[in-house]
Amino acid sequence: MFYYNQYIRAKSLEEAYELYQKRQNFIVGGMLWTKMKNTTLGTAIDLCELGLDGIEENENEFRIGAYVSLRDIETNKSLNKYTDNAFANSVKDIVGVQFRNVATVGGSIWGRYGFSDVMTIFRALGAKVELFHEGIMELDDFVKLPRTVRDILVSVIVPKETEKVVYLSQRNQSTDFPVLTCAVSKGKRGTMAVIGATPYMAEPVYDSENILSVTTDENIERFADYVAQNIRFGSNMRASAEYRKIICNVLVKRALKTIVSENEKEEIC
């Protein structure tokens, strides 16, 4: 159980940012993990009146507000048409619908959790984040920021630069935390695999050696081995490092074969 001393609905991002500079103050998201802390905090800063709960699309990108729920990205037709339902697949096993109606994209990204399906799919799509103070930066750069940085996540930006993306995960049972998450994408930056719940935060591996310049079964096998060799695996109560490495290899191969199969169907059509 946690307690806080004051609740404020911010009237502007400027007000919220100023309040957040005090160490004990915190931003209210879904609060699904915050409420599990056993501590007393300062001021709860609610951004619910600042219009951060929308998904906007133009010809170049999607802009997803920090207060958009995981259920919103699960059911958004435009996002899922663009990603062949990869967004829906990435969140559909997160606890339950009631949970996903409350959990926010901003909270999931800002938390940088090791078990995050959400971080995995967004990194595979080459996403960017918009921070109130620091501005727009690559998600790959954002994850390296010290956790002591006190900025406000305004939105997550998904550039339309991905041709194909497939999301897979391994769970011991439905709705459990993932044993491993995997997203493989092909696009402007080439082919990449993002592996998470290792149990560390999701990390990308790029096809920097052009293994998949020709997508034969042999090269798919080689790339899966390459990914597994370049990811840090650890053990916890859900799985051992050795098991995760095996699962990584399997999921990367499955994702790549799905991409190849979909490309072949498009060529036939």
Side-chain angles (χ1 to χ4, degrees):
M1 189 70 176
F2 87 102
Y3 303 88
Y4 54 88
N5 297 323
Q6 188 179 15
Y7 169 85
I8 294 179
R9 285 194 176 188
K11 300 302 181 184
S12 67
L13 284 168
E14 290 84 355
E15 178 189 10
Y17 179 77
E18 289 180 9
L19 288 168
Y20 189 44
Q21 299 317 296
K22 294 183 179 179
R23 191 172 62 86
Q24 287 296 311
N25 295 353
F26 67 102
I27 302 294
V28 174
M31 294 182 68
L32 294 164
W33 306 123
T34 304
K35 69 181 183 181
M36 297 176 70
K37 295 181 178 180
N38 185 21
T39 187
T40 298
L41 300 173
T43 298
I45 307 162
D46 197 336
L47 310 181
C48 66
E49 295 184 355
L50 303 185
L52 304 181
D53 58 349
I55 299 174
E56 300 175 359
E57 178 186 7
N58 60 39
E59 61 181 11
N60 298 314
E61 65 188 27
F62 293 92
R63 189 175 291 260
I64 303 168
Y67 264 40
V68 168
S69 73
L70 301 191
R71 180 63 174 169
D72 288 335
I73 65 173
E74 180 182 5
T75 59
N76 186 273
K77 292 181 180 179
S78 296
L79 281 174
N80 284 292
K81 181 179 179 181
Y82 174 67
T83 62
D84 292 325
N85 290 317
F87 264 117
N89 291 334
S90 70
V91 301
K92 65 183 177 64
D93 292 319
I94 299 177
V95 186
V97 173
Q98 295 93 333
F99 186 97
R100 298 194 297 277
N101 273 326
V102 178
T104 61
V105 170
S108 300
I109 294 296
W110 185 264
R112 288 168 274 187
Y113 303 111
F115 54 80
S116 178
D117 298 89
V118 180
M119 180 65 79
T120 305
I121 186 64
F122 276 111
R123 291 197 81 169
L125 290 167
K128 303 176 183 179
V129 296
E130 179 186 2
L131 303 180
F132 173 71
H133 185 262
E134 294 293 332
I136 295 174
M137 66 173 63
E138 299 285 342
L139 181 55
D140 287 352
D141 294 326
F142 167 76
V143 298
K144 299 173 186 175
L145 289 179
R147 291 180 181 268
T148 54
V149 170
R150 301 188 72 78
D151 208 333
I152 294 176
L153 180 61
V154 178
S155 63
V156 182
I157 301 166
V158 178
K160 292 183 176 180
E161 298 176 349
T162 301
E163 297 172 16
K164 293 289 182 182
V165 60
V166 173
Y167 185 89
L168 299 170
S169 67
Q170 172 70 19
R171 283 168 158 80
N172 290 329
Q173 64 179 26
S174 179
T175 75
D176 194 7
F177 285 110
V179 168
L180 198 82
T181 62
C182 170
V184 175
S185 64
K186 179 182 179 183
K188 185 176 180 180
R189 298 192 295 177
T191 301
M192 63 182 294
V194 178
I195 308 298
T198 56
Y200 309 107
M201 186 171 58
E203 297 176 293
V205 176
Y206 296 88
D207 185 15
S208 55
E209 298 184 4
N210 293 317
I211 297 170
L212 296 171
S213 56
V214 179
T215 51
T216 61
D217 286 345
E218 181 182 354
N219 286 343
I220 288 174
E221 189 85 39
R222 285 179 57 206
F223 183 68
D225 289 339
Y226 178 75
V227 172
Q229 292 298 326
N230 284 277
I231 289 291
R232 175 181 55 158
F233 296 99
S235 302
N236 63 7
M237 63 183 292
R238 292 182 185 85
S240 67
E242 293 79 8
Y243 178 73
R244 284 189 163 102
K245 188 172 184 178
I246 294 170
I247 294 299
C248 173
N249 188 291
V250 171
L251 294 187
V252 171
K253 285 190 289 188
R254 285 181 183 173
L256 282 169
K257 288 179 179 180
T258 300
I259 289 174
V260 171
S261 175
E262 290 176 352
N263 285 338
E264 289 174 349
K265 287 179 182 177
E266 289 178 0
E267 289 174 2
I268 292 173
C269 293

